[in-house]
Amino acid sequence: MKSIVFIPEIPEGITSDVISKRPDIYQAQKQLEALNYKVKSTKTILYPSITLTGMAGYASYELEDLLKSENDTWSYSADLAFPLFTGGKVKGNYKAAKAEYDQELAAYKQTVQTAFKEILDAITANRFNKQILETSLKEEEALEISYKISIKREQAGIASLLDVLDVERSLLQTQISVVDSQLDQINSIIDFCKALGGGWVKKE
């Protein structure tokens, strides 16, 4: 059974600026801007500027380093810039902010952390599901050959109908596994698009 299901591949080189499309990121940033007009005027990128995907759609080393803590706490390498907290102009605004701004800032950091975590989880799930699908397809191909051989053996009188039915049952079970794996992989692509805030633009 040849698959006719088209499953998109996660491309390499997707950068973190795509998360600006996420409604929660946009809302959190606007709340910060409402509390501090200076933050609004700088138009600073309020999250780490990194590449999200590496070769063959795997998670980039930058994204994995960003969320490498076993406790899922916010962690990032020294070479990753976070302008909101380190930039001179914005840092000065931060020092002058009131307690309400501090709360919004903490909420924004949590929102960004959640975004990157969801992206990494979706990429990881996609690669895992793809490997399972590839294994199921190879098993299906092998069983299709075995099924054809069992029919010829039964016709030649050197195998029973029960043997044929046994192979056919295994083949049908594997075909069901293929469909389930395809669905899991598609769902992980959907989760990845949702985590980005609506998908990605394919580079020509």
Side-chain angles (χ1 to χ4, degrees), residues 85-105:
F85 312 114
T86 59
K89 186 173 182 180
V90 180
K91 186 176 181 181
N93 292 340
Y94 171 74
K95 288 181 178 180
K98 296 180 181 180
E100 186 177 5
Y101 180 82
D102 292 339
Q103 292 177 356
E104 290 296 336
L105 183 58

Side-chain angles (χ1 to χ4, degrees), residues 40-163:
K40 181 178 181 180
S41 65
T42 61
K43 298 186 183 299
T44 306
I45 297 175
L46 304 183
Y47 42 81
S49 180
I50 63 172
T51 300
L52 300 173
T53 56
M55 294 184 63
Y58 282 87
S60 68
Y61 290 118
E62 292 176 304
L63 178 58
E64 291 181 342
D65 285 344
L66 197 69
L67 296 164
K68 61 186 177 182
S69 171
E70 295 180 356
N71 297 321
D72 295 335
T73 55
W74 189 238
S75 173
Y76 46 90
S77 303
D79 59 340
L80 295 178
F82 212 146
L84 178 62
F85 312 114
T86 59
K89 186 173 182 180
V90 180
K91 186 176 181 181
N93 292 340
Y94 171 74
K95 288 181 178 180
K98 296 180 181 180
E100 186 177 5
Y101 180 82
D102 292 339
Q103 292 177 356
E104 290 296 336
L105 183 58
Y108 181 85
K109 289 175 63 178
Q110 182 61 49
T111 301
V112 171
Q113 178 183 357
T114 298
F116 281 108
K117 180 67 168 56
E118 289 176 356
I119 290 170
L120 179 58
D121 287 347
I123 293 174
T124 302
N126 176 256
R127 303 312 306 180
F128 178 74
N129 292 329
K130 185 176 182 180
Q131 291 172 355
I132 292 178
L133 176 59
E134 290 173 350
T135 300
S136 297
L137 287 171
K138 290 179 181 178
E139 184 178 353
E140 178 189 25
E141 185 177 357
L143 284 170
E144 285 177 341
I145 295 174
S146 296
Y147 179 61
K148 292 177 181 178
I149 292 175
S150 69
I151 291 177
K152 291 181 179 180
R153 287 171 57 85
E154 191 271 337
Q155 292 173 342
I158 56 178
S160 67
L161 179 60
L162 185 61
D163 294 329

